[in-house]
Amino acid sequence: DIQMTQSPSSLSASVGDRVTITCRASQGISNSLAWYQQKPGKAPKVLLYAASRLESGVPSRFSGSGSGSEYTLTISSLQPEDFATYYCQQYHITPPYTFGQGTKLEI
Amino acid sequence: EVQLVESGGGLVKPGGSLRLSCAASGFTLSKFGMNWVRQAPGKGLEWVASISDSATDIDYADSVKGRFSISRDTGKNLVDLQMNTLRAEDTAVYYCARDSSSFTNWFDPWGQGTLVIVSS
């Protein structure tokens, strides 16, 4: 099974900051990576897929990059509504579909 | 509008059974793979089970294999998760999620979730 390791597990930042979250796979996943945002009490929502492709309707301040086994999610200028928990998910070799453990982004 | 609505959660004793349903609307169920993902209180996301668009491929996480069963009824637009021999560690919000397309396997959209509590 492919293991996904996200870092950091939590992050404190301010409105306007640029933040980066990293996701490492236990083997190469050929850009088969999605990023989700989850707010308390809500279902996850996809932000990016194929490592760097922005889902329709997602603000352009969100971006993704990476290759092989290492990927990053960057928020260029944090907005108040961005404070949430973020998860990566690999879909290169399944089953199982594996998620990172999450990164809680706090004010 | 594509929508997924889960139901069937509740309080059940250890060793008991529960059947969750996911009502799908706004798309043709037979054209998409469907998934169940759970989230224990305060924890991260864990994939539980998947059924392919043709229903010929069904997969389970090791943690539920032999206890849970996923099925679908295209006539009723329902995807079910039968959960048997429940354990305390199965306590979680269970989400139904659709494959993003016929060819891609990230999950979009998700339902709102249904809470399962396994406790005596």
Side-chain angles (χ1 to χ4, degrees):
Chain A
D1 296 355
I2 296 178
Q3 310 302 318
M4 305 300 292
T5 304
Q6 247 181 274
S7 60
S9 55
S10 65
L11 178 58
S12 293
S14 301
V15 173
D17 284 355
R18 177 185 180 91
V19 300
T20 298
I21 298 168
T22 298
C23 190
R24 287 186 178 88
S26 57
Q27 64 186 79
I29 56 172
S30 300
N31 290 358
S32 298
L33 184 88
W35 288 98
Y36 299 89
Q37 177 193 67
Q38 186 181 32
K39 295 184 178 179
K42 300 294 186 182
K45 166 191 159 183
V46 64
L47 299 174
L48 297 112
Y49 58 92
S52 61
R53 297 194 174 190
L54 203 63
E55 175 75 355
S56 176
V58 174
S60 59
R61 63 181 179 272
F62 292 92
S63 63
S65 64
S67 63
S69 62
E70 186 160 332
Y71 298 87
T72 59
L73 169 69
T74 299
I75 310 173
S76 60
S77 178
L78 274 173
Q79 298 302 300
E81 60 269 28
D82 299 337
F83 292 94
T85 301
Y86 294 84
Y87 294 93
C88 61
Q89 178 215 359
Q90 70 82 22
Y91 51 93
H92 178 58
I93 296 179
T94 62
Y97 297 90
T98 42
F99 294 88
Q101 72 271 36
T103 295
K104 186 173 184 179
L105 180 52
E106 300 174 298
I107 300 174
Chain B
E1 179 194 3
V2 174
Q3 195 171 13
L4 300 171
V5 179
E6 301 93 335
S7 61
L11 175 64
V12 61
K13 290 182 169 53
S17 298
L18 208 56
R19 189 175 186 90
L20 306 183
S21 288
C22 171
S25 59
F27 67 98
T28 303
L29 199 56
S30 60
K31 293 187 177 180
F32 291 86
M34 296 295 295
N35 310 275
W36 287 93
V37 177
R38 69 184 179 184
Q39 186 170 38
K43 302 297 184 182
L45 302 170
E46 180 190 16
W47 168 78
V48 172
S50 295
I51 184 167
S52 65
D53 54 357
S54 60
T56 54
D57 293 320
I58 290 176
D59 297 297
Y60 300 96
D62 287 345
S63 56
V64 306
K65 203 170 290 183
R67 301 187 298 123
F68 289 14
S69 177
I70 188 172
S71 61
R72 74 171 191 198
D73 183 331
T74 54
K76 294 181 180 178
N77 285 337
L78 289 176
V79 180
D80 287 349
L81 185 69
Q82 176 66 43
M83 306 187 296
N84 298 329
T85 320
L86 282 160
R87 306 166 180 165
E89 54 265 35
D90 296 318
T91 294
V93 174
Y94 284 74
Y95 294 101
C96 172
R98 194 194 73 175
D99 280 359
S100 51
S101 79
S102 301
F103 310 101
T104 53
N105 301 114
W106 63 90
F107 300 157
D108 180 48
W110 298 56
Q112 85 288 352
T114 187
L115 177 62
V116 172
I117 299 173
V118 184
S119 174
S120 55

